[in-house]
Amino acid sequence: MHLFYAPDLVKDDFLLPEEESRHCSKVLRLKEGDLLALVDGKGTLYSGHLSKIESKRCKVFITGEDKEFGRRPYSIHIAMAPTKNLDRTEWFVEKATEVGIQEISFIQCHRSERKQINPERLKKIAISAMKQSKKAYLPIINEITPFSAFLDTTRAEKTFIAHLEEHNQQSLREVFIKNDAYCVLIGPEGDFTPGEINLAYAKGIKPVTLGPSRLRTETAALVACHILHVLNEVLT
Amino acid sequence: MHLFYAPDLVKDDFLLPEEESRHCSKVLRLKEGDLLALVDGKGTLYSGHLSKIESKRCKVFITGEDKEFGRRPYSIHIAMAPTKNLDRTEWFVEKATEVGIQEISFIQCHRSERKQINPERLKKIAISAMKQSKKAYLPIINEITPFSAFLDTTRAEKTFIAHLEEHNQQSLREVFIKNDAYCVLIGPEGDFTPGEINLAYAKGIKPVTLGPSRLRTETAALVACHILHVLNEVLT
C-alpha cells in the first residue's frame, strides 16, 4: 500500500499536501477508492482510501488511526559535525531515519571543514526514508550550531562525547541506562580538539568509545545510534 | 602515521606494491626515514620506516610486527542481493569493512534487478575502508552466485535468512551464540520469494528478524552485521 506524508492534517478534511497530491494523481495514477496510508510525522499512521482526486488536492477518507505508531520508550539524539563531503551526511540522515532516531543536530567544530548545511534538503531525505521504512515519526533536524552553544542546550548527564583521544573512555554499554533520552556528540574528520573535549568535560559530559574500530564521522554517528537501539532491546 | 596495504610482502624484502609506492612517493612525498605502517590484509600490522624511495618501488625497513591485529573471536559473513543502485552496495561494502566483517557474498535472487557486480571495484573500496579504519584484515568479497547454489556452500546451522514475510521469525538475539561464525542472507528490494524462503528452510536455515523497522537492502545488511558485533560485545 502506498504511504504518504501529510504533516498538517486537519480533522475531517484530510487533504494530501500539494506535492503528495501530485505524486498520487500524476505519478502513481491512483484512483478514487484506492487504499492508502498516511503518516503525519508526529506519530500517527492513518489508513483510508482516496475519496477525491485533483492534481493538487487529493482528499482521503480515513478509516483507521494508529497513534504513537512504532513509538519506542527511549529517544536518541545525535549531534554530529557535518562531513566535508555532504553525501556522507545525507547518507547518515537516511540511514538513521530508517533505523530510528528522534533528533539530529549539527555542530560546528574547530576542525569542521564544512560550516553550513541545508536542513530543508536533509528534511526531504528524512521524509523519504521515513516513508520508505514505514515510520510515523519524522526526526527533528536542527540548524548547525557552534559547538559551545550546543553544549548549553543539552542535558549533560544524558549527553556523551565520542572522541578518539585516549582518556579511558567507557563504552556506551557501561554508561547505558535503559529507556532514557540519549544525546551523543560525534566530531568532525580530524576529531574534536582537546579544547572542545575539555569544554564538554567541564559541562559534565562524559566520554564514550564506540568500540575498537576507527570509524568515519558518519559511520560513528550511525553506529552510536544503532548501539543504543540494540542495547535497549537486549539489556534489561 | 600513514598506513599502506601490502598484500604480498616477502620476508626481508618489504616492497610496497606499485600503486602504493606511487602514492607514497608522488602524492604524500614521503622521505627516507619517515615512519609508516603496513597491513597485509591477512591480519598482520607492520610498523617501520621508509628505507628506499623509487616511484614504483618503495622499500620499508620493518621494526615491528603485530600478528592477528584486532582479531575478534567470531566471524561475520553477509550474503546480500546486490542493490539496483550500485552506490548502495558500494556503501555497504565500505561501512561493513569499517565496522568489521570477514566475508561478503552476493546472491542472485529471483527479484534481483541487478545481476552483476564488479568484485574488483568492491575490493578497492574495501581496501580503502580497511586502511581508513586501521584494520589488518581485508574482507573476502565473492563473485555473485545464484541463490540456490549459494545455499549449497553454507553451513545451515550457522546461517540465517532475514526476510520480511510473517513467519514468526526470532530476533538475531534469540538465535545468537557468542563467538560463532555467522552468515546472514539479505534479500533484494522486493524481498526473497516464498520459493526462495522455502528452499532455505528446506536446507535447515532459520528465519530471523532484524527489528521492527522496514529497512532497505543495504541498511539491513549493515544492521545485521552490527547487531552481531554488539551482541558479541554485550552478551555473555
Side-chain angles (χ1 to χ4, degrees):
Chain A
M1 195 178 352
H2 293 290
L3 181 66
F4 295 90
Y5 173 53
D8 302 310
L9 283 179
V10 179
K11 204 87 180 172
D12 301 325
D13 182 28
F14 292 97
L15 282 176
L16 290 182
E18 195 174 317
E19 200 173 322
E20 293 285 71
S21 291
R22 200 161 32 231
H23 189 65
C24 176
S25 61
K26 301 284 184 192
V27 181
L28 301 172
R29 294 169 182 271
L30 298 189
K31 298 183 192 70
E32 280 182 23
D34 280 351
L35 297 177
L36 46 71
L38 307 178
V39 288
D40 64 1
K42 302 174 194 92
T44 304
L45 172 75
Y46 298 90
S47 48
H49 60 259
L50 270 171
S51 57
K52 192 173 155 192
I53 300 184
E54 291 176 20
S55 65
K56 291 183 179 177
R57 284 166 56 95
C58 287
K59 201 164 175 175
V60 182
F61 185 84
I62 298 294
T63 52
E65 188 178 323
D66 205 343
K67 284 185 180 165
E68 300 194 346
F69 177 76
R71 184 164 188 265
R72 286 159 160 152
Y74 55 89
S75 78
I76 301 174
H77 179 181
I78 300 289
M80 72 183 279
T83 52
K84 184 178 166 190
N85 173 343
L86 196 58
D87 283 355
R88 295 182 173 275
T89 295
E90 294 182 353
W91 166 84
F92 165 72
V93 169
E94 176 182 298
K95 295 310 173 206
T97 305
E98 276 185 64
V99 164
I101 192 167
Q102 279 60 48
E103 190 166 355
I104 300 173
S105 295
F106 295 97
I107 45 179
Q108 192 180 322
C109 296
H110 186 73
R111 293 182 186 144
S112 297
E113 289 200 50
R114 172 174 296 277
K115 308 289 185 196
Q116 292 186 316
I117 51 141
N118 181 342
E120 280 312 304
R121 183 175 156 85
L122 295 175
K123 192 180 165 191
K124 280 189 183 166
I125 291 168
I127 289 170
S128 169
M130 173 185 68
K131 288 162 66 179
Q132 202 279 333
S133 61
K134 204 183 170 189
K135 291 197 154 50
Y137 289 96
L138 183 68
I140 298 164
I141 298 182
N142 298 310
E143 286 279 358
I144 195 164
T145 316
F147 180 69
S148 62
F150 181 83
L151 294 188
D152 291 336
T153 68
T154 183
R155 282 173 303 172
E157 72 279 12
K158 303 190 179 282
T159 303
F160 305 98
I161 182 167
H163 66 74
L164 304 174
E165 299 229 343
E166 294 281 351
H167 282 200
N168 293 319
Q169 289 93 323
Q170 293 178 288
S171 70
L172 259 183
R173 182 228 170 136
E174 292 170 290
V175 300
F176 175 77
I177 295 170
K178 195 178 169 84
N179 294 341
D180 208 347
Y182 320 96
C183 178
V184 185
L185 308 174
I186 305 287
E189 289 103 338
D191 204 5
F192 293 108
T193 63
E196 286 166 337
I197 294 169
N198 286 330
L199 191 61
Y201 289 179
K203 300 268 180 190
I205 292 169
K206 289 198 178 64
V208 289
T209 167
L210 304 176
S213 295
R214 184 170 73 175
L215 303 173
R216 283 180 178 276
T217 293
E218 76 281 7
T219 320
L222 185 67
V223 157
C225 177
H226 191 240
I227 289 175
L228 290 168
H229 282 300
V230 180
L231 293 180
N232 268 294
E233 192 196 319
V234 164
L235 297 181
T236 47
Chain B
M1 195 177 355
H2 293 288
L3 181 66
F4 295 89
Y5 173 53
D8 302 307
L9 283 179
V10 179
K11 205 87 183 173
D12 301 325
D13 182 27
F14 291 97
L15 282 178
L16 290 183
E18 196 175 317
E19 200 172 324
E20 293 285 71
S21 290
R22 200 160 33 229
H23 189 67
C24 175
S25 62
K26 301 285 184 190
V27 181
L28 301 171
R29 293 170 182 273
L30 298 187
K31 296 182 192 72
E32 279 181 24
D34 280 350
L35 297 177
L36 47 71
L38 306 179
V39 288
D40 64 1
K42 303 173 193 95
T44 304
L45 172 74
Y46 299 90
S47 49
H49 60 259
L50 271 170
S51 56
K52 190 174 156 193
I53 300 184
E54 291 177 19
S55 65
K56 292 182 180 180
R57 287 165 54 93
C58 286
K59 200 164 178 177
V60 181
F61 184 84
I62 298 295
T63 53
E65 187 178 325
D66 204 343
K67 283 187 180 165
E68 299 195 348
F69 177 76
R71 184 163 188 267
R72 285 158 160 152
Y74 55 90
S75 78
I76 301 174
H77 178 183
I78 299 289
M80 73 183 279
T83 52
K84 183 178 167 192
N85 173 342
L86 195 59
D87 282 355
R88 295 182 173 275
T89 296
E90 295 183 351
W91 166 84
F92 166 72
V93 170
E94 177 182 298
K95 294 310 171 205
T97 305
E98 275 184 64
V99 165
I101 192 166
Q102 278 60 48
E103 190 165 357
I104 300 173
S105 295
F106 294 96
I107 44 179
Q108 193 180 320
C109 297
H110 186 72
R111 294 184 185 143
S112 297
E113 291 201 46
R114 173 173 295 279
K115 309 287 184 200
Q116 293 187 316
I117 51 144
N118 181 341
E120 281 311 305
R121 183 174 156 84
L122 295 175
K123 190 179 167 193
K124 280 189 182 165
I125 290 168
I127 290 170
S128 170
M130 173 185 68
K131 288 162 65 179
Q132 202 279 333
S133 60
K134 203 185 172 186
K135 291 194 154 48
Y137 289 96
L138 183 68
I140 298 163
I141 297 182
N142 298 312
E143 286 279 359
I144 195 165
T145 317
F147 180 71
S148 61
F150 182 82
L151 294 188
D152 290 336
T153 67
T154 183
R155 282 172 303 171
E157 72 280 12
K158 303 189 179 282
T159 303
F160 305 97
I161 181 166
H163 66 75
L164 304 174
E165 299 227 345
E166 294 281 350
H167 282 201
N168 293 320
Q169 290 93 326
Q170 294 178 288
S171 71
L172 259 183
R173 182 226 172 137
E174 291 169 292
V175 299
F176 175 77
I177 294 169
K178 196 178 168 85
N179 294 342
D180 207 347
Y182 320 96
C183 177
V184 185
L185 308 174
I186 305 288
E189 288 102 338
D191 205 3
F192 293 108
T193 62
E196 286 166 339
I197 295 170
N198 287 330
L199 191 62
Y201 289 178
K203 300 267 179 191
I205 292 170
K206 289 198 177 64
V208 289
T209 166
L210 303 175
S213 295
R214 185 170 72 175
L215 303 172
R216 283 178 177 279
T217 292
E218 77 281 7
T219 320
L222 185 67
V223 157
C225 177
H226 191 240
I227 288 175
L228 290 168
H229 281 301
V230 180
L231 293 180
N232 268 294
E233 192 197 319
V234 165
L235 297 182
T236 48

